[in-house]
Amino acid sequence: MRLLQQPWPLKLIWLVLLGEACAALLNREWIVGAVALTTFGLTLLPLYVGRVSGVHIPSGFLVAIAVFLMATLFLGEIRNFYERFWWWDIVLHIGSAVAFGLAGVVLMLILVRGERLTAAPITVAFFAFCFAVTVGVFWEIIEFTADQTLGTNTQRSGLMDTMWDLIVDCLGALVGAAAGWIYLQGEQGWVLTGTLREFVRRNGRLFSPR
């Protein structure tokens, strides 16, 4: 997977997680160590999937995935950032919704592949928005199910927490969808459109007509 050739922010995240895991295990903090190692393993998963499938994942995507995993699993749960910073959950929801909006753009372009349906920018943007919001809704269902069956407290303030999560999911989805619309308009200069452009360029076989 060429770990040493990955971007330095990703390698820095790996070093932090492995350092936290080693410190936790030395102090016999088994849960902290397990979560740190699990988070580290999950950051490697996109590299493995890309290698097996032959899909090139841009470095920006890899770093964003690793940051999100560390922020939600390790910092959020283990270091209690959700309680220490009221805005932590909001930022993560917006970031994940933006990412799923971009994923919706990519998925739509792969489905179209130049056949029958013309990939009109507004069509792609609408699909991307709906895709990202749907993922957010399913996540809220999962949180509700976990709280009701396992006794967890993921929906900390109940209805208010759920509604704010859905609102910020919509905002993030709108940003991701807008990036897809701008990309298909041929505009340049925005980091999100640049990431989309790199993905399409490096994986041209996925988007060419059958």
Side-chain angles (χ1 to χ4, degrees):
M1 290 186 286
R2 299 180 180 178
L3 300 184
L4 295 179
Q5 298 180 16
Q6 301 306 316
W8 68 264
L10 186 56
K11 290 186 283 190
L12 179 60
I13 291 173
W14 289 339
L15 287 174
V16 171
L17 289 173
L18 290 176
E20 291 281 0
C22 291
L25 295 177
L26 288 174
N27 294 323
R28 297 187 178 182
E29 297 176 331
W30 309 121
I31 294 179
V32 175
V35 172
L37 290 176
T38 299
T39 305
F40 171 74
L42 289 174
T43 63
L44 297 177
L45 188 59
L47 292 171
Y48 175 76
V49 172
R51 180 171 175 267
V52 171
S53 64
V55 174
H56 173 79
I57 303 177
S59 58
F61 277 6
L62 294 173
V63 172
I65 292 171
V67 168
F68 177 79
L69 289 171
M70 183 176 179
T72 187
L73 294 178
F74 189 78
L75 296 178
E77 298 295 343
I78 298 300
R79 296 308 182 199
N80 209 28
F81 274 32
Y82 286 125
E83 299 297 333
R84 295 169 60 184
F85 306 105
W86 64 266
W87 44 265
W88 194 255
D89 189 48
I90 295 176
V91 171
L92 292 181
H93 268 277
I94 292 178
S96 63
V98 171
F100 281 117
L102 296 177
V105 172
V106 171
L107 180 60
M108 184 64 172
L109 293 179
I110 292 175
L111 291 174
V112 174
R113 296 186 71 165
E115 291 187 354
R116 300 193 186 104
L117 176 66
T118 300
I122 191 63
T123 303
V124 174
F126 180 72
F127 176 86
F129 176 81
C130 292
F131 177 79
V133 172
T134 300
V135 172
V137 170
F138 274 113
W139 180 253
E140 294 304 317
I141 293 174
I142 291 173
E143 287 190 343
F144 173 78
T145 302
D147 288 352
Q148 296 300 311
T149 59
L150 302 177
T152 56
N153 187 31
T154 58
Q155 294 180 306
R156 290 165 177 79
S157 56
L159 179 61
M160 287 296 293
D161 179 80
T162 299
M163 291 310 302
W164 276 113
D165 285 350
L166 292 175
I167 289 171
V168 297
D169 283 343
C170 287
L171 293 175
L174 187 62
V175 173
W181 183 83
I182 292 172
Y183 163 72
L184 291 174
Q185 292 286 350
E187 300 292 337
Q188 300 183 14
W190 193 17
V191 62
L192 295 180
T193 58
T195 302
L196 282 173
R197 186 173 295 105
E198 181 186 357
F199 186 91
V200 173
R201 180 178 63 83
R202 298 293 293 270
N203 300 283
R205 61 184 178 80
L206 298 176
F207 306 94
S208 59
R210 294 180 181 86

